[in-house]
Amino acid sequence: MLFFELLVEHFPSFMDAMWQTVQITLFSLLFGLILGVVFGLMKVSNNKVLQSLSNVYIWLIRGTPLLVQIYFVYFGIPMATGLKLTEWQAGVITMSLNAGAYIAEIVRGGIESIDKGQMEAARSLGLPYNKSMSKVVLPQALRIMLPSMINQFIITLKDTSLLSIIGVRELTMNGKIITANNMETIRMWSIVALYYLVVISILTIIANKVELRVSKSSR
């Protein structure tokens, strides 16, 4: 079967799989961003307990392979708690925890790159720590963090391919299923790669436009 014929024949199933991939990526990054900001702020705080909690979370996630984390969440949590998770839920939880640890380091690096005098000046004007951080430091740090955030977005999207190991029908799993049925290995994996290239290219263009707009508005 020709490449184009395969592409047309399986277009609907790949659209569904692509939507699953994008959906998991967006949810994971949303929750990962919340975790990353919280733990990033904890890491730069003066509270030793909060620093320690942040360090342990980042150490555990960054020190273990994503595939092991997927297995742990999908199989380990139900066995330990009795709480049943669908493949999709386990995938989003794992990807969120993973992205959160890396985003926390991005947030920490962005905050620490801002001159400490900015925080001191805000505090001297009578602003409390929280407002000084949210109104003065974080807006400046955002410009520095944004390229790394965009990179993490792309990494998370590509990492969703590992969720095929627990049966989530994203792009890679869809390719596996179709290949098992028609044995068109080379053509089918070329199609899978094409879909990843298309969606990542589109999202990269959008992300770069957002970065450019943020850079211009902050001048």
Side-chain angles (χ1 to χ4, degrees), residues 13-119:
S13 68
F14 271 110
M15 284 297 99
D16 289 339
M18 182 182 288
W19 171 237
Q20 285 289 329
T21 299
V22 173
Q23 207 175 18
I24 290 171
T25 302
L26 292 175
F27 275 105
S28 299
L29 284 172
L30 173 62
F31 296 130
L33 183 62
I34 295 169
L35 288 170
V37 170
V38 170
F39 281 96
L41 291 173
M42 285 167 62
K43 190 158 185 178
V44 297
S45 72
N46 296 322
N47 188 307
K48 297 297 181 184
V49 175
L50 294 180
Q51 283 184 13
S52 298
L53 287 173
S54 179
N55 287 332
V56 169
Y57 165 64
I58 294 169
W59 171 67
L60 282 173
I61 298 299
R62 294 182 55 148
T64 55
L66 178 55
L67 189 58
V68 173
Q69 296 166 21
I70 293 170
Y71 280 134
F72 181 82
V73 171
Y74 185 60
F75 295 110
I77 290 179
M79 289 179 67
T81 65
L83 179 65
K84 292 185 178 180
L85 297 173
T86 65
E87 293 86 355
W88 195 91
Q89 289 170 338
V92 170
I93 290 170
T94 308
M95 300 302 294
S96 299
L97 290 170
N98 186 270
Y102 288 91
I103 292 173
E105 282 293 277
I106 294 171
V107 171
R108 177 200 58 77
I111 291 172
E112 290 184 345
S113 67
I114 303 301
D115 193 306
K116 290 182 179 179
Q118 297 287 325
M119 173 63 80

